[in-house]
Amino acid sequence: MARHIFFISDGTGITAETVGMSLLTQFDLYDFEYSTLPYIDTPEKAEMVLGQIAGAFHKDGEQPIVFSTLMNPEVSKVIAKCPGVIIDAFAHFIPRLEEALGLKASGQAGKSHSVKSPDQYHARIDAVNFTINTDDGLHPDYYKIAEIILVGVSRSGKTPTSIYMALNFGIKCANYPITQDDLDHDEIPKVLKDYTGKCFGLTIDPVRLNQIRTQRMADTNYATLKQCEKEVRATEAIFREYKIPMLNTTQLSVEEIATRIVSEKGLQRSPR
Amino acid sequence: MARHIFFISDGTGITAETVGMSLLTQFDLYDFEYSTLPYIDTPEKAEMVLGQIAGAFHKDGEQPIVFSTLMNPEVSKVIAKCPGVIIDAFAHFIPRLEEALGLKASGQAGKSHSVKSPDQYHARIDAVNFTINTDDGLHPDYYKIAEIILVGVSRSGKTPTSIYMALNFGIKCANYPITQDDLDHDEIPKVLKDYTGKCFGLTIDPVRLNQIRTQRMADTNYATLKQCEKEVRATEAIFREYKIPMLNTTQLSVEEIATRIVSEKGLQRSPR
């Protein structure tokens, strides 16, 4: 039977989810069932939430776990009556921060994922647009303003990683697919020649690549293990020759790939 | 003078950043300077971090604030010696969760943003690929498998929102741009006709739209306030006529837009 988890917020619920999911990965054998309840910003809405938590308790016979990031004390007071275990990062840490900073918290709800700094926000949206416009080798003429160019064979993880870098770190990240055509020339593609310092190579285990490509295009030469091995080997040779740093993405999430690239290249990562 | 903030993690640092930034938005008049230090997974690396924190303290004359999500007790022990105010969500909440769940935490470091469930992870990557392939009106033949289709005039926030929904919520989100061509016909574009139940309208204040378009393409008819007003008015009329729910994006971040859409449409949002 799954244990019921609630994420409750007066804003988007993203912080409550992030804190809660991080803590819960420490108990990964357990089976959880999740409900995110954003915009709980009035005592009336909180009363409805109370009903849901009580319902889950009644159904499961076990106390639900409630991750909360509520700022409004009247809303928190209602939720405090629930039959769940409440884990409230704000209630615990805000007083410590107030003391450390010598300031009172503003008490404003729903601020975490709002537009706090319009300039920074628009820089992030610009990065997303840049990345979409340069996805998969489009517009190499934009490489002069790219902060980084991910390079790798088809299905090595370039597109999701580029998008993550733009959306979450605000980094203008292009990506270029190395194809068999490029490899026939046995050297770095022309459009990348002037930008090898911005390039970062993504590589992948050929067996895994073969699985991914087979799911998409079974029975093509493109998907065969032999072709995957050939492309990966030749691409890695190019990375080595041009001293392009590389990362094997086989076991990594986009978050991990993006974090490692940013650390290795010394790029500025703007936390949000 | 800016107060120095450190985010320290044995993984990507994303959780430490999310918790820390959420708490710090409560003190938004303060000037902060941020450093994220991911993959601090050995006592040796922790010793280097100690040097950085001490350096910031020495420079600023004020205690840096250190948000930590370290799981390894030997690493934490080193960081505990630093001259900063340590805010450690894991140290505080893991014991409470252990008690509530009747289980010991696994103690494994760096799990939060790794590939925990391959199936769920690949569903998310598939959603990203779907969204890229259907961005800006591409491939309307895929609408039958879309979970949602964002509709709106050019520069109303469709692309960044679609990408956020795919990458963070794992939702297959297409988007379709309403252009003057569409509006000349005074009815919903043909490709959307069978899918109005999946459509969600994004609208925007014409004055703001005029600013955004002017930044990109000054001195075009496309960017004039008159054209912006005309497009927004006509598009909203279509939304009303076809009972497509709509949201004004002018003041909202992509996180807020995505959260509101998911709530309103009752879509499944998978926390990560």
Side-chain angles (χ1 to χ4, degrees):
Chain A
M1 197 180 46
R3 185 75 170 247
H4 215 111
I5 307 294
F6 287 91
F7 304 109
I8 304 179
S9 170
D10 41 34
T12 61
I14 294 166
T15 305
E17 282 181 352
T18 307
V19 175
M21 292 302 284
S22 290
L23 289 164
L24 294 174
T25 51
Q26 287 296 317
F27 304 91
D28 54 1
L29 296 178
Y30 222 97
D31 191 17
F32 297 114
E33 197 182 321
Y34 307 104
S35 303
T36 303
L37 306 174
Y39 301 118
I40 306 304
D41 48 11
T42 64
E44 292 70 35
K45 289 190 197 166
E47 290 287 351
M48 285 173 54
V49 171
L50 220 52
Q52 288 190 50
I53 298 172
F57 183 33
H58 186 75
K59 196 179 133 223
D60 302 346
E62 289 200 278
Q63 276 192 293
I65 294 171
V66 180
F67 293 96
S68 151
T69 55
L70 298 166
M71 278 307 298
N72 182 329
E74 290 184 31
V75 177
S76 298
K77 212 158 72 184
V78 176
I79 299 296
K81 295 186 291 184
C82 85
V85 177
I86 299 176
I87 301 219
D88 183 339
F90 278 19
H92 187 72
F93 291 124
I94 287 285
R96 287 201 62 186
L97 276 176
E98 288 180 330
E99 196 193 333
L101 298 172
L103 266 184
K104 276 303 232 188
S106 70
Q108 247 184 296
K111 290 268 297 180
S112 308
H113 292 87
S114 62
V115 177
K116 284 162 292 196
S117 147
D119 284 352
Q120 208 181 349
Y121 182 74
H122 295 130
R124 183 154 74 99
I125 298 303
D126 282 350
V128 171
N129 288 321
F130 176 89
T131 294
I132 297 283
N133 288 329
T134 54
D135 184 45
D136 209 30
L138 285 173
H139 289 295
D141 48 315
Y142 290 179
Y143 289 173
K144 49 181 169 306
I145 57 165
E147 290 174 77
I148 186 158
I149 307 162
L150 302 186
V151 183
V153 302
S154 167
R155 298 293 132 187
S156 55
K158 298 181 303 299
T159 293
T161 305
S162 301
I163 284 177
Y164 188 89
M165 301 259 277
L167 191 59
N168 290 279
F169 295 161
I171 289 171
K172 288 195 166 77
C173 179
N175 72 79
Y176 184 92
I178 298 268
T179 62
Q180 186 56 52
D181 263 13
D182 291 317
L183 297 173
D184 288 343
H185 295 88
D186 219 13
E187 57 173 32
I188 197 164
K190 264 204 194 99
V191 293
L192 296 176
K193 263 199 176 140
D194 291 340
Y195 302 104
T196 53
K198 291 183 180 184
C199 287
F200 196 100
L202 298 189
T203 186
I204 183 170
D205 172 8
V207 174
R208 177 72 195 125
L209 185 61
N210 164 244
Q211 287 169 354
I212 299 173
R213 289 186 174 181
T214 302
Q215 272 170 21
R216 291 173 50 89
M217 298 201 190
D219 305 321
T220 58
N221 178 54
Y222 162 85
T224 58
L225 181 57
K226 197 176 150 203
Q227 178 65 20
C228 291
E229 279 173 341
K230 196 170 129 191
E231 287 183 30
V232 169
R233 208 165 36 225
T235 303
E236 290 181 354
I238 289 177
F239 294 156
R240 277 190 293 268
E241 189 185 335
Y242 289 86
K243 300 193 173 28
I244 295 170
M246 68 173 116
L247 179 66
N248 188 318
T249 64
T250 313
Q251 305 282 347
L252 302 176
S253 70
V254 287
E255 286 84 346
E256 292 172 316
I257 302 168
T259 301
R260 283 169 196 262
I261 293 170
V262 164
S263 297
E264 190 152 336
K265 297 288 279 187
L267 291 172
Q268 182 64 33
R269 153 183 179 175
S270 31
R272 287 181 302 108
Chain B
M1 197 178 47
R3 186 77 168 244
H4 216 110
I5 308 294
F6 287 91
F7 303 109
I8 304 179
S9 170
D10 40 34
T12 61
I14 293 166
T15 305
E17 282 182 351
T18 307
V19 175
M21 292 302 284
S22 289
L23 290 164
L24 294 176
T25 52
Q26 287 295 317
F27 305 91
D28 54 1
L29 296 178
Y30 222 96
D31 190 18
F32 298 114
E33 196 182 322
Y34 307 104
S35 304
T36 303
L37 305 175
Y39 301 117
I40 307 303
D41 48 11
T42 63
E44 292 70 35
K45 289 190 197 167
E47 291 285 353
M48 284 172 54
V49 170
L50 220 51
Q52 288 190 50
I53 298 172
F57 184 31
H58 186 74
K59 195 179 132 222
D60 301 345
E62 290 201 277
Q63 276 191 294
I65 294 171
V66 179
F67 293 96
S68 150
T69 56
L70 298 166
M71 277 308 298
N72 183 329
E74 290 184 32
V75 176
S76 298
K77 213 159 70 184
V78 176
I79 300 296
K81 296 185 290 182
C82 85
V85 176
I86 299 176
I87 301 222
D88 183 340
F90 278 20
H92 187 73
F93 292 123
I94 287 286
R96 288 201 62 186
L97 276 175
E98 287 180 330
E99 196 193 334
L101 297 171
L103 264 185
K104 276 304 231 187
S106 70
Q108 247 185 296
K111 290 267 297 181
S112 308
H113 292 88
S114 62
V115 178
K116 285 162 291 199
S117 147
D119 284 352
Q120 208 182 347
Y121 182 74
H122 295 130
R124 182 153 74 99
I125 298 302
D126 282 350
V128 171
N129 287 322
F130 177 88
T131 294
I132 296 282
N133 287 329
T134 54
D135 183 44
D136 209 30
L138 286 173
H139 289 294
D141 48 314
Y142 291 178
Y143 289 172
K144 48 181 170 306
I145 57 165
E147 289 173 79
I148 186 157
I149 306 163
L150 302 186
V151 183
V153 301
S154 168
R155 299 291 132 187
S156 55
K158 298 182 302 299
T159 293
T161 305
S162 302
I163 285 177
Y164 188 89
M165 302 259 277
L167 191 58
N168 290 279
F169 295 161
I171 290 171
K172 287 194 167 78
C173 180
N175 72 79
Y176 183 91
I178 299 267
T179 61
Q180 187 55 51
D181 263 13
D182 291 317
L183 297 173
D184 289 342
H185 294 86
D186 220 13
E187 59 173 30
I188 197 163
K190 265 204 194 96
V191 292
L192 297 175
K193 262 199 175 139
D194 291 341
Y195 301 105
T196 53
K198 291 184 181 184
C199 288
F200 196 99
L202 298 189
T203 186
I204 183 169
D205 173 8
V207 174
R208 176 72 194 125
L209 185 61
N210 165 244
Q211 287 169 354
I212 298 172
R213 289 186 175 181
T214 303
Q215 273 169 22
R216 290 172 50 88
M217 297 201 189
D219 306 320
T220 57
N221 179 54
Y222 163 85
T224 58
L225 180 57
K226 200 178 148 200
Q227 178 65 20
C228 291
E229 278 172 342
K230 195 170 129 191
E231 287 183 30
V232 169
R233 211 165 33 226
T235 303
E236 289 181 355
I238 290 178
F239 294 156
R240 277 190 292 267
E241 189 184 334
Y242 289 86
K243 300 195 171 30
I244 294 170
M246 69 173 114
L247 179 66
N248 187 318
T249 64
T250 313
Q251 306 282 348
L252 302 176
S253 70
V254 288
E255 286 85 347
E256 291 171 317
I257 302 168
T259 301
R260 283 169 195 262
I261 293 170
V262 164
S263 297
E264 191 152 335
K265 297 289 279 186
L267 292 171
Q268 180 66 33
R269 153 183 178 175
S270 33
R272 289 181 303 111

